[in-house]
Amino acid sequence: EVQMVESGGGLVQSGESLRLSCAASGFTFSSFSMNWVRQAPGKGLEWVSFINSIGDKIDYADSVKGRFTISRDNGKNSLYLQMNSLRAEDTAVYYCARGSGAGHWLIDYWGQGTLVTVSS
Amino acid sequence: EIVLTQSPGTLSLSPGERATLSCRASQSVGNNFLAWYQQKPGQAPRLLFYGSSTRATGIPDRFSGSGSGADFTLTISRLEPEDFAVYYCQQYSHSPRTFGQGTKVEIK
């Protein structure tokens, strides 16, 4: 069974940093691209970042470019999101989401999410 | 950036009725790379369709997806109680990948 479990969320002050982790299981992690997608409380979905299976193609939404860094460790079946200079508008549930193939942009499975709250 | 506009915002229907959800793009979605997701309260989204009309694994055939170019539709032929949820479309042909704002299907 494909499973992703996010961790690292919490309450931080504006301007601080946080690192999210996503532990994947039930599939060959090194063969799939990965994404972070967020959802502000009561709002819709916003794609945040993408990394391909080997980590040499990375993409960000403009809203986080220069502040967030996505990375992965295929040996540990883990995905990460380093979030710096956090703002109130970054408050959201952050989902780890699997791409449908090595470099594919389609998202086919989602974790349950971790809540990040940024206090101003 | 491709903007996706979903309509209506809310659809109030009874179990057994037909639901028709629209997703319109601000420009043509290349290769019809348009997906639909279902999200229930407190849960992660679930993939329903990709490539506009290809049903994901385990999705019942009362759900259908159609459309091409910039105009896409999700249809639920007969609503079951478990189908009341929020539905999002997403394009994955251009970066940034963008989502529609969602259509809530609620019990009338």
Side-chain angles (χ1 to χ4, degrees), chain A residues 1-119:
Chain A
E1 178 192 3
V2 173
Q3 195 168 13
M4 280 88 68
V5 179
E6 301 92 337
S7 61
L11 174 63
V12 295
Q13 302 275 6
S14 179
E16 293 185 340
S17 298
L18 209 54
R19 189 193 197 209
L20 305 183
S21 299
C22 168
S25 61
F27 63 101
T28 304
F29 182 73
S30 59
S31 296
F32 290 85
S33 60
M34 297 296 294
N35 299 265
W36 288 99
V37 179
R38 67 185 180 183
Q39 186 170 35
K43 303 296 184 183
L45 300 166
E46 180 188 16
W47 169 79
V48 171
S49 185
F50 164 91
I51 186 167
N52 70 347
S53 60
I54 58 174
D56 67 342
K57 286 186 170 55
I58 284 173
D59 197 9
Y60 299 98
D62 284 348
S63 57
V64 306
K65 202 171 290 184
R67 300 187 300 123
F68 290 12
T69 302
I70 192 171
S71 62
R72 64 189 296 159
D73 184 335
N74 286 345
K76 294 182 177 179
N77 292 343
S78 294
L79 176 72
Y80 306 101
L81 186 67
Q82 177 66 42
M83 304 186 295
N84 297 333
S85 305
L86 282 162
R87 306 166 180 167
E89 54 265 35
D90 295 319
T91 294
V93 172
Y94 284 73
Y95 293 103
C96 169
R98 193 185 83 164
S100 61
H104 293 192
W105 289 7
L106 170 68
I107 290 172
D108 60 0
Y109 287 96
W110 304 64
Q112 285 303 306
T114 187
L115 177 62
V116 173
T117 304
V118 184
S119 170

